[in-house]
Amino acid sequence: MKYIYLKETESTNKYAKKLAKDGASEFTVVIADKQTGGYGRMGRSFHSPDTSGLYMSIILRPRISPEETLYITTAAAAAVSQAIEEISGKETGIKWVNDIFIDGKKVCGILTESGYSGNTLDYAILGIGVNIYTPTEGFPDDIRDIAGGIFDRPVDVRDILAKRITERFSDYYKELEAKNFLSYYRKKNIVTGKKIMIIKGENSYNAKALSIDDEFRLIVEDENKRITALDSGEISIRM
Ligand code: BTN
């Protein structure tokens, strides 16, 4: 494990990607106090102000099939959920595929990006953003209703949280194919049994989330009673 600490960077994922392309070893971990252009899934930005969050990217060099990249993301969700519960004593929930919630608010987002050389996976960057506490100036208007912090006042737990997440994740990653985190992941999921909206590219449709299968796919039933297994895409829970 090698930690690189930055005061400020555009995005730790971008920084880690450059290092990975230059040959950096697996489990090089980049952590920044602040990101000026942090980003998430679906091209969204990730609000990353100074000190209130953990912004971390881990370089991986997995030898797995493309389908198994879903294991990395879900192992990370399980590791983050466990680490947050250990340091805060608060109960977390995982919204498929890898958002972590506390009391109905999103406290963590995870973005895994892959780099290929030809058809072979060369590296993966596991990017993790955690809102440790609500920023003093509050969250921006567009995410105020969805985003939350683990704590509601400033606490200095960033480095211990980073260490716990990395250790937990590394245990799962060593035996990724054994999927030792599957039962924890299922237990913590807050989606099954709920009415959801599925967003796939330009399209969206309503469905019911039934279960999570052994490949971490979300099994859903659409309004025509057709059952499918989702291995990517974005969902939102309908109230
Ligand atoms: C999401 O919620 O869609 C994923 C958010 C991922 C944010 C993290 S913060 C550290 C790393 N650097 C980035 O630019 N993104 C990830």
Side-chain angles (χ1 to χ4, degrees), residues 155-201:
V155 276
D156 182 12
V157 294
R158 186 194 70 173
D159 292 348
I160 180 76
L161 180 62
K163 192 163 172 284
R164 292 270 172 92
I165 292 173
T166 323
E167 281 168 1
R168 288 258 174 218
F169 174 74
S170 137
D171 286 345
Y172 290 143
Y173 181 73
K174 270 182 230 149
E175 298 180 295
L176 200 59
E177 283 172 3
K179 297 182 263 188
N180 294 330
F181 47 94
L182 177 60
S183 61
Y184 181 86
Y185 184 89
R186 277 193 179 130
K187 188 174 82 185
K188 285 291 173 187
N189 103 82
I190 52 169
V191 169
T192 51
K194 302 247 169 72
K195 289 178 176 168
I196 59 169
M197 184 169 79
I198 299 165
I199 305 136
K200 272 240 166 198

Side-chain angles (χ1 to χ4, degrees), residues 47-62:
H47 186 58
S48 316
D50 215 357
T51 67
S52 61
L54 166 65
Y55 318 114
M56 168 167 90
S57 299
I58 307 175
I59 297 177
L60 303 169
R61 299 201 180 271

